[in-house]
mmCIF file of all heavy atoms in Angstrom:
data_model
loop_
_atom_site.group_PDB
_atom_site.id
_atom_site.type_symbol
_atom_site.label_atom_id
_atom_site.label_comp_id
_atom_site.label_asym_id
_atom_site.label_seq_id
_atom_site.Cartn_x
_atom_site.Cartn_y
_atom_site.Cartn_z
ATOM 1 N N ALA X 24 54.874 11.593 7.071
ATOM 2 C CA ALA X 24 55.419 12.047 5.759
ATOM 3 C C ALA X 24 54.327 12.409 4.773
ATOM 4 O O ALA X 24 54.400 13.477 4.139
ATOM 5 C CB ALA X 24 56.312 10.905 5.109
ATOM 6 N N ARG X 25 53.249 11.655 4.780
ATOM 7 C CA ARG X 25 52.152 11.925 3.782
ATOM 8 C C ARG X 25 51.396 13.099 4.160
ATOM 9 O O ARG X 25 50.915 13.908 3.309
ATOM 10 C CB ARG X 25 51.277 10.655 3.694
ATOM 11 C CG ARG X 25 50.026 10.878 2.888
ATOM 12 C CD ARG X 25 50.285 11.074 1.436
ATOM 13 N NE ARG X 25 50.839 9.918 0.767
ATOM 14 C CZ ARG X 25 50.084 9.143 -0.052
ATOM 15 N NH1 ARG X 25 48.868 9.442 -0.381
ATOM 16 N NH2 ARG X 25 50.650 8.000 -0.619
ATOM 17 N N SER X 26 51.123 13.312 5.490
ATOM 18 C CA SER X 26 50.216 14.434 5.896
ATOM 19 C C SER X 26 50.992 15.735 6.145
ATOM 20 O O SER X 26 50.426 16.728 6.212
ATOM 21 C CB SER X 26 49.560 13.969 7.177
ATOM 22 O OG SER X 26 50.456 13.834 8.216
ATOM 23 N N GLY X 27 52.342 15.648 6.166
ATOM 24 C CA GLY X 27 53.085 16.833 6.458
ATOM 25 C C GLY X 27 53.077 17.241 7.910
ATOM 26 O O GLY X 27 53.590 18.393 8.245
ATOM 27 N N VAL X 28 52.505 16.402 8.807
ATOM 28 C CA VAL X 28 52.452 16.785 10.183
ATOM 29 C C VAL X 28 53.721 16.094 10.858
ATOM 30 O O VAL X 28 54.151 14.981 10.458
ATOM 31 C CB VAL X 28 51.185 16.166 10.830
ATOM 32 C CG1 VAL X 28 51.223 16.320 12.337
ATOM 33 C CG2 VAL X 28 49.993 16.768 10.223
ATOM 34 N N HIS X 29 54.334 16.752 11.808
ATOM 35 C CA HIS X 29 55.570 16.245 12.436
ATOM 36 C C HIS X 29 55.244 14.915 13.085
ATOM 37 O O HIS X 29 54.247 14.727 13.735
ATOM 38 C CB HIS X 29 56.091 17.300 13.447
ATOM 39 C CG HIS X 29 57.558 16.997 13.772
ATOM 40 N ND1 HIS X 29 57.903 16.011 14.693
ATOM 41 C CD2 HIS X 29 58.678 17.523 13.304
ATOM 42 C CE1 HIS X 29 59.197 15.996 14.817
ATOM 43 N NE2 HIS X 29 59.742 16.911 13.986
ATOM 44 N N ARG X 30 56.230 13.957 12.952
ATOM 45 C CA ARG X 30 55.959 12.625 13.461
ATOM 46 C C ARG X 30 55.780 12.609 15.032
ATOM 47 O O ARG X 30 55.021 11.791 15.519
ATOM 48 C CB ARG X 30 57.069 11.683 13.052
ATOM 49 C CG ARG X 30 58.459 11.813 13.736
ATOM 50 C CD ARG X 30 59.416 10.754 13.295
ATOM 51 N NE ARG X 30 59.007 9.403 13.552
ATOM 52 C CZ ARG X 30 58.885 8.843 14.719
ATOM 53 N NH1 ARG X 30 59.329 9.458 15.806
ATOM 54 N NH2 ARG X 30 58.470 7.613 14.894
ATOM 55 N N THR X 31 56.413 13.583 15.656
ATOM 56 C CA THR X 31 56.223 13.631 17.154
ATOM 57 C C THR X 31 54.714 13.952 17.480
ATOM 58 O O THR X 31 54.124 13.367 18.400
ATOM 59 C CB THR X 31 57.088 14.752 17.779
ATOM 60 O OG1 THR X 31 58.405 14.599 17.307
ATOM 61 C CG2 THR X 31 57.098 14.643 19.262
ATOM 62 N N THR X 32 54.111 14.796 16.666
ATOM 63 C CA THR X 32 52.680 15.130 16.844
ATOM 64 C C THR X 32 51.803 13.903 16.552
ATOM 65 O O THR X 32 50.857 13.620 17.289
ATOM 66 C CB THR X 32 52.298 16.281 15.921
ATOM 67 O OG1 THR X 32 53.261 17.385 16.079
ATOM 68 C CG2 THR X 32 50.910 16.757 16.215
ATOM 69 N N VAL X 33 52.141 13.226 15.465
ATOM 70 C CA VAL X 33 51.334 12.038 15.072
ATOM 71 C C VAL X 33 51.426 10.997 16.171
ATOM 72 O O VAL X 33 50.481 10.425 16.641
ATOM 73 C CB VAL X 33 51.852 11.415 13.733
ATOM 74 C CG1 VAL X 33 51.047 10.138 13.438
ATOM 75 C CG2 VAL X 33 51.722 12.407 12.606
ATOM 76 N N TYR X 34 52.665 10.839 16.673
ATOM 77 C CA TYR X 34 52.929 9.810 17.728
ATOM 78 C C TYR X 34 52.209 10.177 19.001
ATOM 79 O O TYR X 34 51.540 9.343 19.615
ATOM 80 C CB TYR X 34 54.425 9.665 17.989
ATOM 81 C CG TYR X 34 54.725 8.600 19.001
ATOM 82 C CD1 TYR X 34 54.709 7.268 18.660
ATOM 83 C CD2 TYR X 34 54.951 8.933 20.338
ATOM 84 C CE1 TYR X 34 54.956 6.247 19.554
ATOM 85 C CE2 TYR X 34 55.215 7.982 21.282
ATOM 86 C CZ TYR X 34 55.145 6.586 20.920
ATOM 87 O OH TYR X 34 55.392 5.657 21.871
ATOM 88 N N ARG X 35 52.289 11.503 19.430
ATOM 89 C CA ARG X 35 51.661 11.905 20.627
ATOM 90 C C ARG X 35 50.133 11.614 20.600
ATOM 91 O O ARG X 35 49.484 11.183 21.568
ATOM 92 C CB ARG X 35 51.891 13.414 20.929
ATOM 93 C CG ARG X 35 51.530 13.826 22.307
ATOM 94 C CD ARG X 35 51.789 15.334 22.517
ATOM 95 N NE ARG X 35 53.084 15.715 22.180
ATOM 96 C CZ ARG X 35 53.395 16.714 21.282
ATOM 97 N NH1 ARG X 35 52.419 17.324 20.622
ATOM 98 N NH2 ARG X 35 54.600 17.012 20.973
ATOM 99 N N ARG X 36 49.580 11.894 19.407
ATOM 100 C CA ARG X 36 48.080 11.761 19.287
ATOM 101 C C ARG X 36 47.632 10.275 19.218
ATOM 102 O O ARG X 36 46.580 9.914 19.718
ATOM 103 C CB ARG X 36 47.617 12.553 18.054
ATOM 104 C CG ARG X 36 46.174 12.436 17.894
ATOM 105 C CD ARG X 36 45.414 13.661 17.414
ATOM 106 N NE ARG X 36 44.057 13.419 17.152
ATOM 107 C CZ ARG X 36 43.357 14.018 16.287
ATOM 108 N NH1 ARG X 36 43.916 14.987 15.556
ATOM 109 N NH2 ARG X 36 42.061 13.682 16.011
ATOM 110 N N TRP X 37 48.371 9.410 18.507
ATOM 111 C CA TRP X 37 47.893 8.115 18.210
ATOM 112 C C TRP X 37 48.617 6.898 18.757
ATOM 113 O O TRP X 37 48.174 5.784 18.768
ATOM 114 C CB TRP X 37 47.635 7.907 16.699
ATOM 115 C CG TRP X 37 46.466 8.658 16.196
ATOM 116 C CD1 TRP X 37 45.164 8.282 16.483
ATOM 117 C CD2 TRP X 37 46.389 9.755 15.315
ATOM 118 N NE1 TRP X 37 44.312 9.179 15.919
ATOM 119 C CE2 TRP X 37 45.045 10.077 15.133
ATOM 120 C CE3 TRP X 37 47.302 10.531 14.730
ATOM 121 C CZ2 TRP X 37 44.634 11.139 14.370
ATOM 122 C CZ3 TRP X 37 46.925 11.612 13.887
ATOM 123 C CH2 TRP X 37 45.612 11.870 13.749
ATOM 124 N N ARG X 38 49.891 7.145 19.170
ATOM 125 C CA ARG X 38 50.679 6.060 19.725
ATOM 126 C C ARG X 38 51.010 4.905 18.705
ATOM 127 O O ARG X 38 52.162 4.577 18.558
ATOM 128 C CB ARG X 38 50.033 5.425 20.949
ATOM 129 C CG ARG X 38 49.939 6.340 22.123
ATOM 130 C CD ARG X 38 51.255 6.421 22.887
ATOM 131 N NE ARG X 38 51.792 5.085 23.207
ATOM 132 C CZ ARG X 38 51.238 4.346 24.294
ATOM 133 N NH1 ARG X 38 50.311 4.938 25.023
ATOM 134 N NH2 ARG X 38 51.756 3.251 24.596
ATOM 135 N N ASP X 39 49.987 4.321 18.083
ATOM 136 C CA ASP X 39 50.283 3.210 17.167
ATOM 137 C C ASP X 39 49.287 3.181 16.035
ATOM 138 O O ASP X 39 48.340 3.973 15.968
ATOM 139 C CB ASP X 39 50.359 1.917 17.938
ATOM 140 C CG ASP X 39 49.026 1.583 18.569
ATOM 141 O OD1 ASP X 39 47.983 2.157 18.173
ATOM 142 O OD2 ASP X 39 49.019 0.788 19.524
ATOM 143 N N THR X 40 49.525 2.259 15.128
ATOM 144 C CA THR X 40 48.685 2.096 13.925
ATOM 145 C C THR X 40 47.277 1.786 14.228
ATOM 146 O O THR X 40 46.345 2.320 13.550
ATOM 147 C CB THR X 40 49.324 1.022 12.996
ATOM 148 O OG1 THR X 40 50.709 1.286 12.804
ATOM 149 C CG2 THR X 40 48.596 0.942 11.667
ATOM 150 N N GLY X 41 47.039 0.986 15.236
ATOM 151 C CA GLY X 41 45.686 0.658 15.630
ATOM 152 C C GLY X 41 44.843 1.928 15.963
ATOM 153 O O GLY X 41 43.718 2.126 15.620
ATOM 154 N N GLY X 42 45.551 2.789 16.727
ATOM 155 C CA GLY X 42 44.875 4.047 17.137
ATOM 156 C C GLY X 42 44.559 4.928 15.911
ATOM 157 O O GLY X 42 43.522 5.540 15.840
ATOM 158 N N LEU X 43 45.489 4.955 14.917
ATOM 159 C CA LEU X 43 45.186 5.691 13.680
ATOM 160 C C LEU X 43 43.966 5.236 12.999
ATOM 161 O O LEU X 43 43.134 5.951 12.535
ATOM 162 C CB LEU X 43 46.412 5.484 12.757
ATOM 163 C CG LEU X 43 47.684 6.434 12.970
ATOM 164 C CD1 LEU X 43 48.813 5.830 12.207
ATOM 165 C CD2 LEU X 43 47.339 7.820 12.438
ATOM 166 N N LEU X 44 43.924 3.896 12.868
ATOM 167 C CA LEU X 44 42.760 3.223 12.167
ATOM 168 C C LEU X 44 41.448 3.491 12.881
ATOM 169 O O LEU X 44 40.438 3.805 12.271
ATOM 170 C CB LEU X 44 43.039 1.769 12.013
ATOM 171 C CG LEU X 44 43.928 1.342 10.920
ATOM 172 C CD1 LEU X 44 44.207 -0.171 11.033
ATOM 173 C CD2 LEU X 44 43.280 1.638 9.590
ATOM 174 N N ALA X 45 41.531 3.402 14.212
ATOM 175 C CA ALA X 45 40.307 3.560 15.002
ATOM 176 C C ALA X 45 39.799 4.987 14.903
ATOM 177 O O ALA X 45 38.582 5.194 14.731
ATOM 178 C CB ALA X 45 40.646 3.245 16.468
ATOM 179 N N ASP X 46 40.701 5.994 14.872
ATOM 180 C CA ASP X 46 40.244 7.307 14.706
ATOM 181 C C ASP X 46 39.680 7.612 13.328
ATOM 182 O O ASP X 46 38.684 8.280 13.182
ATOM 183 C CB ASP X 46 41.438 8.274 14.913
ATOM 184 C CG ASP X 46 41.338 8.981 16.204
ATOM 185 O OD1 ASP X 46 40.787 8.438 17.173
ATOM 186 O OD2 ASP X 46 41.781 10.151 16.307
ATOM 187 N N ALA X 47 40.262 6.968 12.277
ATOM 188 C CA ALA X 47 39.706 7.124 10.942
ATOM 189 C C ALA X 47 38.318 6.526 10.882
ATOM 190 O O ALA X 47 37.390 7.113 10.254
ATOM 191 C CB ALA X 47 40.642 6.381 9.922
#
Side-chain angles (χ1 to χ4, degrees):
Chain X
R25 172 66 69 106
S26 63
V28 174
H29 196 279
R30 71 177 304 286
T31 312
T32 308
V33 177
Y34 182 79
R35 192 182 307 123
R36 177 142 174 211
W37 283 293
R38 293 281 305 283
D39 60 20
T40 306
L43 278 164
L44 281 172
D46 253 31

